[in-house]
Amino acid sequence: DKIQKALDNDEVLEGFVKRRTKGGLIVDIFSIETFLPGSQIDVKPIRDYDIYVEKPLNVKIVKINYSNDNVVVSHKMLIEKDLEEQKNKILKKLEIGQVLEGTVKNMTNFGVFVDLGGGIDGLLHITDISWGRVNHPEEVLKLDEKINVVVLDYNDQDKRISLGMKQCKANPWEEFAVQHEKNDRTTGTIKSITDFGIFVGLDGGIDGLVHLSDLSWEDSGENAVRNYKKGDSLEAV
């Protein structure tokens, strides 16, 4: 009766985790053994159920099956409610240009999803990770790494947040333009060789392109490029 009342009134109950079982945990409530599925323990996947055993845990009743005296409970529901409140507080304070600390949550070939806390994720597009060329986010970042990001855009309707990481630093292209002029000689390291030329790493982490036609006066581009390899030092104008 107490458990049915808690379900009807959406109450939070204090339970005690007795043991782990296949697919979840057994939680004692009013001396009745209830089932807490692994998917209902937390908002994030739990790898080690044993850390909860023989400890108190607040839960909500999800379902009562009288035919087999089975009660299903959830701890995740409590966390989700707290996260929703945190989320609304954070979103109210969100401004374009604001610098936030986040954690790298997931990587794709087009960018990184950053956990900003309070159940809020933002997308850091690959072009906004670095002022230099980035072929894949894993070249620069790793999972669970903490990073500073700038809010570039925020869509209130669908709660999409666009983030930038390179914007936390000065634009090296602008600094390069101040420090160098056309016809200056400069030296860099060959970062990659392509069908159309050689990319050279220059001051400030930016890349310059030496086109095939500008590699040599003597050889055609196809022959000239064979004289170079990645990692070589290259002087250019």
Side-chain angles (χ1 to χ4, degrees):
D1 289 345
K2 289 180 180 177
I3 287 177
Q4 182 64 60
K5 182 183 175 185
L7 176 61
D8 295 339
N9 297 331
D10 196 31
E11 291 178 23
V12 177
L13 299 176
E14 184 175 326
F16 186 81
V17 181
K18 292 179 70 173
R19 63 184 183 277
R20 60 174 299 173
T21 187
K22 185 178 179 182
L25 300 168
I26 297 298
V27 182
D28 184 294
I29 300 172
F30 305 133
S31 300
I32 291 177
E33 291 190 350
T34 68
F35 177 56
L36 172 59
S39 61
Q40 291 297 315
I41 296 175
D42 206 328
V43 290
K44 58 181 183 290
I46 301 298
R47 296 180 181 87
D48 183 13
Y49 290 3
D50 290 332
I51 61 174
Y52 293 94
V53 176
E54 295 187 357
K55 292 179 182 175
L57 189 71
N58 288 344
V59 294
K60 276 190 174 184
I61 309 299
V62 175
K63 184 170 63 176
I64 303 173
N65 190 334
Y66 283 100
S67 62
N68 59 3
D69 293 332
N70 179 254
V71 179
V72 179
V73 297
S74 171
H75 178 67
K76 179 181 176 181
M77 291 170 66
L78 305 181
I79 300 173
E80 286 177 334
K81 185 178 179 183
D82 290 341
L83 284 178
E84 192 62 31
E85 291 175 0
Q86 291 180 41
K87 190 174 183 178
N88 291 332
K89 286 180 183 177
I90 294 171
L91 291 175
K92 283 180 182 177
K93 296 178 181 177
L94 208 61
E95 295 178 0
I96 292 175
Q98 187 177 4
V99 178
L100 302 170
E101 185 183 70
T103 305
V104 177
K105 181 178 179 181
N106 189 25
M107 288 192 191
T108 69
N109 57 0
F110 60 83
V112 171
F113 287 96
V114 181
D115 182 354
L116 301 173
I120 299 174
D121 293 343
L123 175 61
L124 172 59
H125 196 269
I126 190 168
T127 56
D128 291 309
I129 292 176
S130 171
W131 291 108
R133 286 164 58 86
V134 177
N135 296 313
H136 194 282
E138 64 189 8
E139 295 175 354
V140 183
L141 300 167
K142 56 182 183 289
L143 288 174
D144 297 326
E145 181 179 352
K146 290 194 178 298
I147 58 173
N148 287 329
V149 288
V150 175
V151 178
L152 300 180
D153 196 15
Y154 167 53
N155 187 321
D156 189 49
Q157 191 169 355
D158 53 19
K159 303 292 188 289
R160 283 188 183 173
I161 304 170
S162 297
L163 303 171
M165 182 172 149
K166 70 182 185 183
Q167 289 82 359
C168 292
K169 301 175 183 176
N171 186 342
W173 294 91
E174 294 176 359
E175 294 182 5
F176 192 89
V178 171
Q179 296 170 7
H180 299 81
E181 294 182 0
K182 187 177 176 181
N183 297 322
D184 279 356
R185 284 178 178 266
T186 187
T187 302
T189 302
I190 295 177
K191 294 183 72 176
S192 63
I193 299 174
T194 71
D195 293 339
F196 52 86
I198 294 176
F199 282 100
V200 183
L202 302 173
D203 297 342
I206 66 172
D207 296 343
L209 171 66
V210 181
H211 195 270
L212 285 181
S213 60
D214 291 317
L215 275 174
S216 171
W217 292 109
E218 293 83 19
D219 297 325
S220 66
E222 290 82 358
N223 291 325
V225 79
R226 293 175 189 154
N227 298 322
Y228 303 97
K229 65 179 184 295
K230 188 176 178 180
D232 282 354
S233 180
L234 185 69
E235 185 181 30
V237 173

